[in-house]
Amino acid sequence: MRIGVLGTGGMAAALGGAWARAGHEVFIGGRDAAATEALAGRIGAAGHGTPAQAAGYGEVVLLAVPAGVAPTVAREHAGVLAGRTVVDCTNPLTPGPGGVMLTTGAGESTAGLIAAAAPGAHVVKAFNLAHVSMWNHPAGAFGPVLPAVPFCADDPGAAGHVTELITGMGWSPMPAGGLDRAAYLEATAAFVIGVWWAGGSPALAFPEAPEAPEAPEAA
């Protein structure tokens, strides 16, 4: 696929790099020309330029910008984003006195705000739970049990695009419902990141029951 990436930060580098390694054509778009060119060269992108050029580059667009400005960026490019799969990997979080907190209002999600700002786009919430460093691991690095990427999408075509991106990275797609459930993924990120910051392991909160032993055969 042809993928436009808006942003030059950690997620743009990690996801854009993973997709470039998987054989997709990645175009980096940023406001800082020097940073944009440097990132494109580092990950082996097919090209680089402005955010507007990245927004119109291909079938998929990754919004790898801060959550607080993501709806504004989507609104600025709403016309060209119409009909494209727009992946929102952001987390609307801020440190609070008791831990990490959401910055969105009750029932809101950044993904939903992006969809409202660019109503013709097919927005997908994905790639917001694992630490940025996880996307740098090559396919097969996790062994036979593939880690999952939960995602929320309304459009079947957009869900198919994201599923292809996930499997090409050596991860497993985990459909988590429509975009109206994106707020749950963002709230999960607040929990997970809060546990990390406190020095804990979120995985321990989701143990899987061991397989029940097989019943002995009758004599």
Side-chain angles (χ1 to χ4, degrees):
M1 285 185 284
R2 288 164 58 93
I3 306 168
V5 175
L6 275 69
T8 57
M11 288 296 284
L15 290 174
W19 296 335
R21 291 193 299 273
H24 300 290
E25 295 181 33
V26 176
F27 185 100
I28 302 296
R31 300 184 189 279
D32 184 321
T36 303
E37 182 178 7
L39 176 57
R42 190 163 76 247
I43 69 171
H48 61 87
T50 66
Q53 288 174 310
Y57 181 71
E59 306 99 309
V60 176
V61 178
L62 173 69
L63 282 183
V65 298
V69 302
T72 300
V73 172
R75 186 175 296 107
E76 290 173 353
H77 304 290
V80 72
L81 291 177
R84 303 181 196 273
T85 296
V86 176
V87 180
D88 168 31
C89 66
T90 69
N91 282 314
L93 307 177
T94 188
V100 179
M101 302 294 291
L102 292 168
T103 59
T104 46
E108 283 186 340
S109 69
T110 300
L113 296 174
I114 291 169
H122 304 306
V123 180
V124 181
K125 185 76 188 187
F127 304 105
N128 72 307
L129 292 185
H131 189 269
V132 62
S133 63
M134 292 296 99
W135 310 120
N136 292 318
H137 292 284
F142 298 98
V145 180
L146 301 180
V149 179
F151 68 91
C152 294
D154 288 337
D155 181 76
H161 283 150
V162 171
T163 294
E164 182 179 344
L165 293 176
I166 293 169
T167 56
M169 297 165 67
W171 291 59
S172 174
M174 180 182 285
L179 205 64
D180 58 347
R181 296 180 60 83
Y184 296 124
L185 284 187
E186 295 178 0
T188 301
F191 164 74
V192 167
I193 295 172
V195 171
W196 279 335
W197 285 2
S201 173
L204 297 178
F206 304 99
E208 292 191 9
E211 293 182 4
E214 294 183 5
E217 296 182 4

mmCIF file of all heavy atoms in Angstrom, residues 16 21 26 47 90 100 105-106 112 124 138 163 177 181 188 190 199 211 216:
data_model
loop_
_atom_site.group_PDB
_atom_site.id
_atom_site.type_symbol
_atom_site.label_atom_id
_atom_site.label_comp_id
_atom_site.label_asym_id
_atom_site.label_seq_id
_atom_site.Cartn_x
_atom_site.Cartn_y
_atom_site.Cartn_z
ATOM 1 N N GLY A 16 5.986 3.984 10.671
ATOM 2 C CA GLY A 16 6.407 4.201 9.291
ATOM 3 C C GLY A 16 7.555 3.294 8.913
ATOM 4 O O GLY A 16 7.595 2.728 7.813
ATOM 5 N N ARG A 21 9.614 -1.466 6.048
ATOM 6 C CA ARG A 21 10.301 -2.770 6.042
ATOM 7 C C ARG A 21 9.405 -3.877 5.506
ATOM 8 O O ARG A 21 9.892 -4.860 4.931
ATOM 9 C CB ARG A 21 10.773 -3.128 7.455
ATOM 10 C CG ARG A 21 11.904 -2.253 7.985
ATOM 11 C CD ARG A 21 12.522 -2.842 9.237
ATOM 12 N NE ARG A 21 11.570 -2.982 10.337
ATOM 13 C CZ ARG A 21 11.285 -2.023 11.213
ATOM 14 N NH1 ARG A 21 11.880 -0.827 11.104
ATOM 15 N NH2 ARG A 21 10.424 -2.236 12.194
ATOM 16 N N VAL A 26 5.985 4.355 1.879
ATOM 17 C CA VAL A 26 5.683 5.293 2.957
ATOM 18 C C VAL A 26 6.185 6.683 2.588
ATOM 19 O O VAL A 26 7.328 6.842 2.143
ATOM 20 C CB VAL A 26 6.327 4.827 4.276
ATOM 21 C CG1 VAL A 26 6.112 5.852 5.380
ATOM 22 C CG2 VAL A 26 5.770 3.461 4.680
ATOM 23 N N GLY A 47 9.352 8.736 0.046
ATOM 24 C CA GLY A 47 9.403 10.160 -0.218
ATOM 25 C C GLY A 47 9.082 10.962 1.023
ATOM 26 O O GLY A 47 8.755 10.413 2.076
ATOM 27 N N THR A 90 -3.113 7.982 18.448
ATOM 28 C CA THR A 90 -2.829 8.901 19.549
ATOM 29 C C THR A 90 -3.490 8.457 20.849
ATOM 30 O O THR A 90 -4.423 7.656 20.862
ATOM 31 C CB THR A 90 -3.320 10.318 19.222
ATOM 32 O OG1 THR A 90 -4.749 10.337 19.215
ATOM 33 C CG2 THR A 90 -2.804 10.775 17.862
ATOM 34 N N VAL A 100 -2.221 8.794 35.430
ATOM 35 C CA VAL A 100 -2.502 9.269 34.071
ATOM 36 C C VAL A 100 -4.011 9.432 33.888
ATOM 37 O O VAL A 100 -4.799 8.553 34.269
ATOM 38 C CB VAL A 100 -1.946 8.278 33.034
ATOM 39 C CG1 VAL A 100 -2.252 8.752 31.620
ATOM 40 C CG2 VAL A 100 -0.447 8.135 33.213
ATOM 41 N N GLY A 105 -13.539 14.552 26.976
ATOM 42 C CA GLY A 105 -14.729 14.612 27.804
ATOM 43 C C GLY A 105 -15.404 13.264 27.925
ATOM 44 O O GLY A 105 -15.027 12.287 27.246
ATOM 45 N N ALA A 106 -16.400 13.177 28.762
ATOM 46 C CA ALA A 106 -17.117 11.921 28.978
ATOM 47 C C ALA A 106 -17.720 11.429 27.667
ATOM 48 O O ALA A 106 -18.432 12.159 26.978
ATOM 49 C CB ALA A 106 -18.214 12.126 30.010
ATOM 50 N N GLY A 112 -13.027 9.768 17.551
ATOM 51 C CA GLY A 112 -14.324 10.310 17.199
ATOM 52 C C GLY A 112 -14.254 11.771 16.815
ATOM 53 O O GLY A 112 -14.956 12.226 15.894
ATOM 54 N N VAL A 124 -9.815 4.894 11.777
ATOM 55 C CA VAL A 124 -9.584 3.660 12.533
ATOM 56 C C VAL A 124 -8.718 3.995 13.742
ATOM 57 O O VAL A 124 -7.686 4.665 13.603
ATOM 58 C CB VAL A 124 -8.871 2.592 11.683
ATOM 59 C CG1 VAL A 124 -8.676 1.306 12.494
ATOM 60 C CG2 VAL A 124 -9.647 2.300 10.407
ATOM 61 N N PRO A 138 11.254 -6.781 14.636
ATOM 62 C CA PRO A 138 10.923 -7.401 13.347
ATOM 63 C C PRO A 138 9.861 -8.473 13.500
ATOM 64 O O PRO A 138 9.643 -9.005 14.602
ATOM 65 C CB PRO A 138 12.258 -8.006 12.898
ATOM 66 C CG PRO A 138 12.999 -8.268 14.170
ATOM 67 C CD PRO A 138 12.610 -7.152 15.099
ATOM 68 N N THR A 163 -5.923 -4.309 9.059
ATOM 69 C CA THR A 163 -5.618 -5.726 9.284
ATOM 70 C C THR A 163 -4.384 -6.143 8.494
ATOM 71 O O THR A 163 -3.507 -6.854 9.011
ATOM 72 C CB THR A 163 -6.825 -6.592 8.884
ATOM 73 O OG1 THR A 163 -7.912 -6.307 9.762
ATOM 74 C CG2 THR A 163 -6.490 -8.070 8.954
ATOM 75 N N GLY A 177 -14.639 -3.651 17.720
ATOM 76 C CA GLY A 177 -15.910 -2.968 17.512
ATOM 77 C C GLY A 177 -15.780 -1.744 16.641
ATOM 78 O O GLY A 177 -14.735 -1.490 16.021
ATOM 79 N N ARG A 181 -16.515 2.661 20.033
ATOM 80 C CA ARG A 181 -15.835 2.003 21.138
ATOM 81 C C ARG A 181 -14.373 2.450 21.278
ATOM 82 O O ARG A 181 -13.642 1.937 22.133
ATOM 83 C CB ARG A 181 -15.883 0.477 20.962
ATOM 84 C CG ARG A 181 -17.294 -0.086 21.022
ATOM 85 C CD ARG A 181 -17.313 -1.599 20.848
ATOM 86 N NE ARG A 181 -16.544 -2.275 21.888
ATOM 87 C CZ ARG A 181 -17.007 -2.567 23.098
ATOM 88 N NH1 ARG A 181 -18.241 -2.208 23.442
ATOM 89 N NH2 ARG A 181 -16.252 -3.203 23.977
ATOM 90 N N THR A 188 -8.159 2.402 28.105
ATOM 91 C CA THR A 188 -7.248 1.290 28.408
ATOM 92 C C THR A 188 -5.804 1.768 28.368
ATOM 93 O O THR A 188 -4.981 1.360 29.197
ATOM 94 C CB THR A 188 -7.459 0.136 27.415
ATOM 95 O OG1 THR A 188 -8.811 -0.309 27.506
ATOM 96 C CG2 THR A 188 -6.525 -1.025 27.717
ATOM 97 N N ALA A 190 -4.776 4.734 29.129
ATOM 98 C CA ALA A 190 -4.539 5.485 30.361
ATOM 99 C C ALA A 190 -4.198 4.537 31.504
ATOM 100 O O ALA A 190 -3.290 4.805 32.303
ATOM 101 C CB ALA A 190 -5.772 6.321 30.710
ATOM 102 N N GLY A 199 5.739 1.485 37.630
ATOM 103 C CA GLY A 199 6.704 0.391 37.735
ATOM 104 C C GLY A 199 6.098 -0.990 37.692
ATOM 105 O O GLY A 199 6.784 -1.982 37.990
ATOM 106 N N GLU A 211 -4.929 -24.215 30.464
ATOM 107 C CA GLU A 211 -5.802 -25.211 29.854
ATOM 108 C C GLU A 211 -6.174 -26.273 30.883
ATOM 109 O O GLU A 211 -5.323 -26.738 31.657
ATOM 110 C CB GLU A 211 -5.123 -25.862 28.654
ATOM 111 C CG GLU A 211 -4.899 -24.905 27.499
ATOM 112 C CD GLU A 211 -4.274 -25.586 26.304
ATOM 113 O OE1 GLU A 211 -4.083 -26.811 26.356
ATOM 114 O OE2 GLU A 211 -3.986 -24.888 25.319
ATOM 115 N N PRO A 216 -9.248 -38.345 32.125
ATOM 116 C CA PRO A 216 -8.656 -39.665 31.842
ATOM 117 C C PRO A 216 -9.647 -40.530 31.070
ATOM 118 O O PRO A 216 -10.866 -40.436 31.268
ATOM 119 C CB PRO A 216 -8.383 -40.247 33.228
ATOM 120 C CG PRO A 216 -9.338 -39.516 34.132
ATOM 121 C CD PRO A 216 -9.470 -38.141 33.564
#
